Amino acid sequence: MYRISELAQHVGLSRSTLLYYEKLGLISAKRQANGYRSYSENDLQRLVLLQQLQAGGLSLKECQACLEAKIDREKLLHRLDVLDDEIAKKQKARELLSSMLGMNSMRDWHQTIEQQAPSAHLEWLIKQGFDEKQAMRLKWLSKDMNEHDRYMQDFNLVFEALETWGPGSKADRLKALNRVANQINTILEIGCGQGIATQILAENTQATITAVDNEEFALDALMQKMKAKGLDNRISTVCANMTSLPCEAASFDLIWSEGSAYIMGVEAALKAWKPLLKENGVLVLSDAVWSVDKPKQGIVDFWQKEYPDMTTTAARIKQAEAAGYELIDTFSLSEEAWQAYYRPLEARLNELKEELYGSSVLADIEREIAIFHQRAGEYDYQMFILKNSKIG
């Protein structure tokens, strides 16, 4: 026989809990002559069995039912499903914590958060110690802060040697520039890279050009090229992020951005850059868009992962109009524009395959090139020429 204090010690429960169990009829005390409660070996074993049932996730009421009658199989199956769901959630939590500690990749997590809460994602990355420039690139390139430094090193190794960092051609740039009817005295080029479009703008206008990029080496290469062409006197470079441009409002007749607005989100870029345009100023930007209603699933899977905000030309035009722009013209880039980007990129990868063996950059770019070869008109790069039609 056990006194209540002894029973409590054996099963690791409090005196009040045992009294509650007794009230429910789970155990039954006998009163001794001195008034103290005493419990039997059977009470002890019922408590041990009760604790084992509770360890299976059963409620106290369900445990009592199991002790007093045949087990309800359907109820246990339901409880098992609930437990499996809880385990899956806890496993996800564990994976996230281990990723944050650098034990495994955070790539999938970054991609999910980028789709669901892009602004909060950027703010959080900055709080983790990345500056805005690093955080922007982390969002759209490596998507894994634990391998970011290595990824960026490999990424720069590939692209530093390439003049073109995205689809585009001289003919397409001139076509877009010719659609800009107003006098152009000041140009802001956002995401200028090493200056392939900058040169076209400088050679075909008399405007002063502010060329912005977040890579110093790209801006240095741009200025060397412009000096060699005798065009540097009208060009100034700024190393900055497109989300926080150090420019005064209503300063530019033309803003030019090829293939870079997607980094901050095209809809956000339309709103953020508009105040920098003069009245009736023009924004020219290019962006990847869907060309068919139902593209192949493999292509959809790739772009949903790499560019979840990708949409149609019609949707982008609606966003522009809602932001206060008037559409001047829009057209798809030529096949020449695609080849001007992918031919040198493939050649560069072939040069570096041995050096980049096992690199995430190599795998990512090879996957992008494979999707490009499957493109078959299912997606395009679209040039948009937009006039600042509403001020304020």
Side-chain angles (χ1 to χ4, degrees):
M1 304 298 288
Y2 302 92
R3 289 186 178 182
I4 192 167
S5 58
E6 293 171 331
L7 185 61
Q9 186 174 4
H10 271 288
V11 294
L13 297 172
S14 68
R15 184 177 184 278
S16 60
T17 298
L18 293 179
L19 290 174
Y20 177 63
Y21 285 176
E22 184 178 336
K23 183 178 179 180
L24 293 176
L26 291 167
I27 54 177
S28 179
K30 290 183 179 179
R31 289 284 184 174
Q32 296 179 345
N34 58 10
Y36 289 143
R37 285 179 170 84
S38 65
Y39 298 90
S40 68
E41 180 67 24
N42 185 59
D43 289 319
L44 172 62
Q45 293 189 18
R46 277 174 66 85
L47 287 173
V48 171
L49 178 55
L50 174 69
Q51 288 177 315
Q52 290 298 316
L53 292 171
Q54 285 180 314
L58 299 179
S59 68
L60 184 59
K61 186 176 180 180
E62 290 167 339
C63 290
Q64 187 173 11
C66 288
L67 287 172
E68 296 175 356
K70 187 176 179 180
I71 289 175
D72 185 336
R73 182 175 176 79
E74 289 302 316
K75 187 171 289 186
L76 292 187
L77 286 172
H78 172 71
R79 181 58 64 184
L80 184 61
D81 289 340
V82 171
L83 189 59
D84 285 341
D85 185 56
E86 291 174 355
I87 290 172
K89 289 178 180 177
K90 289 186 180 298
Q91 182 60 34
K92 284 186 178 180
R94 188 192 184 285
E95 289 171 0
L96 175 57
L97 291 176
S98 64
S99 296
M100 288 180 172
L101 292 169
M103 297 176 182
N104 54 280
S105 173
M106 290 184 72
R107 176 177 290 244
D108 290 343
W109 183 82
H110 279 294
Q111 289 168 345
T112 299
I113 296 301
E114 184 56 35
Q115 292 181 44
Q116 297 175 352
S119 297
H121 184 206
L122 175 62
E123 182 181 353
W124 182 79
L125 286 170
I126 292 171
K127 287 180 179 177
Q128 303 318 303
F130 297 98
D131 62 33
E132 189 179 18
K133 171 181 169 182
Q134 292 171 325
M136 290 295 291
R137 299 184 68 181
L138 187 62
K139 278 163 42 103
W140 290 105
L141 294 174
S142 75
K143 304 184 182 73
D144 192 336
M145 62 190 188
N146 295 323
E147 62 176 48
H148 181 66
D149 291 343
R150 166 67 194 278
Y151 194 102
M152 293 315 307
Q153 179 181 336
D154 292 346
F155 181 86
N156 288 336
L157 179 64
V158 173
F159 281 92
E160 280 181 6
L162 298 176
E163 185 178 39
T164 301
W165 291 3
S169 72
K170 181 177 181 179
D172 289 321
R173 293 180 181 106
L174 287 174
K175 181 178 178 178
L177 188 58
N178 288 334
R179 297 292 193 275
V180 182
N182 59 314
Q183 180 70 30
I184 304 173
N185 297 312
T186 53
I187 299 174
L188 173 64
E189 186 186 1
I190 301 171
C192 61
Q194 300 191 54
I196 191 166
T198 317
Q199 182 176 334
I200 301 295
L201 296 172
E203 289 175 339
N204 291 275
T205 73
Q206 293 302 310
T208 58
I209 301 172
T210 302
V212 179
D213 201 274
N214 61 5
E215 285 293 357
E216 288 281 9
F217 78 83
L219 296 175
D220 290 342
L222 181 153
M223 288 308 296
Q224 289 177 16
K225 184 187 302 180
M226 295 304 106
K227 285 179 182 178
K229 299 284 184 180
L231 300 170
D232 57 300
N233 61 317
R234 290 188 287 114
I235 298 171
S236 60
T237 59
V238 177
C239 188
N241 292 306
M242 62 183 66
T243 56
S244 53
L245 296 167
C247 304
E248 293 184 10
S251 298
F252 301 100
D253 299 303
L254 174 63
I255 294 178
W256 191 280
S257 180
E258 291 190 37
S260 60
Y262 82 98
I263 295 174
M264 65 180 290
V266 173
E267 192 170 13
L270 288 168
K271 295 174 183 176
W273 299 346
K274 186 175 182 294
L276 303 178
L277 284 170
K278 296 178 183 178
E279 185 173 2
N280 295 319
V282 176
L283 168 62
V284 175
L285 63 82
S286 62
D287 183 44
V289 296
W290 294 114
S291 304
V292 295
D293 292 333
K294 294 183 178 180
K296 294 185 183 74
Q297 192 58 49
I299 295 176
V300 171
D301 292 343
F302 173 82
W303 283 110
Q304 282 185 343
K305 201 170 186 180
E306 295 302 314
Y307 185 15
D309 191 41
M310 187 167 161
T311 187
T312 62
T313 298
R316 287 290 182 237
I317 292 172
K318 284 184 179 179
Q319 290 172 352
E321 290 172 344
Y325 295 89
E326 175 187 329
L327 178 68
I328 297 174
D329 196 8
T330 183
F331 60 88
S332 299
L333 298 191
S334 62
E335 185 62 25
E336 177 191 355
W338 288 98
Q339 295 299 332
Y341 172 56
Y342 280 109
R343 276 200 305 264
L345 181 58
E346 285 189 272
R348 180 63 176 161
L349 277 195
N350 288 331
E351 290 175 10
L352 297 172
K353 270 195 174 180
E354 188 173 331
E355 187 172 348
L356 291 177
Y357 179 78
S359 168
S360 297
V361 167
L362 179 62
D364 285 352
I365 298 176
E366 284 182 332
R367 191 158 43 246
E368 179 184 341
I369 290 172
I371 290 296
F372 164 69
H373 287 306
Q374 300 171 35
R375 182 174 68 96
E378 300 211 349
Y379 62 91
D380 279 305
Y381 245 87
Q382 193 78 7
M383 193 75 84
F384 297 88
I385 302 95
L386 309 165
K387 185 169 76 172
N388 183 18
S389 60
K390 296 177 185 176
I391 300 299

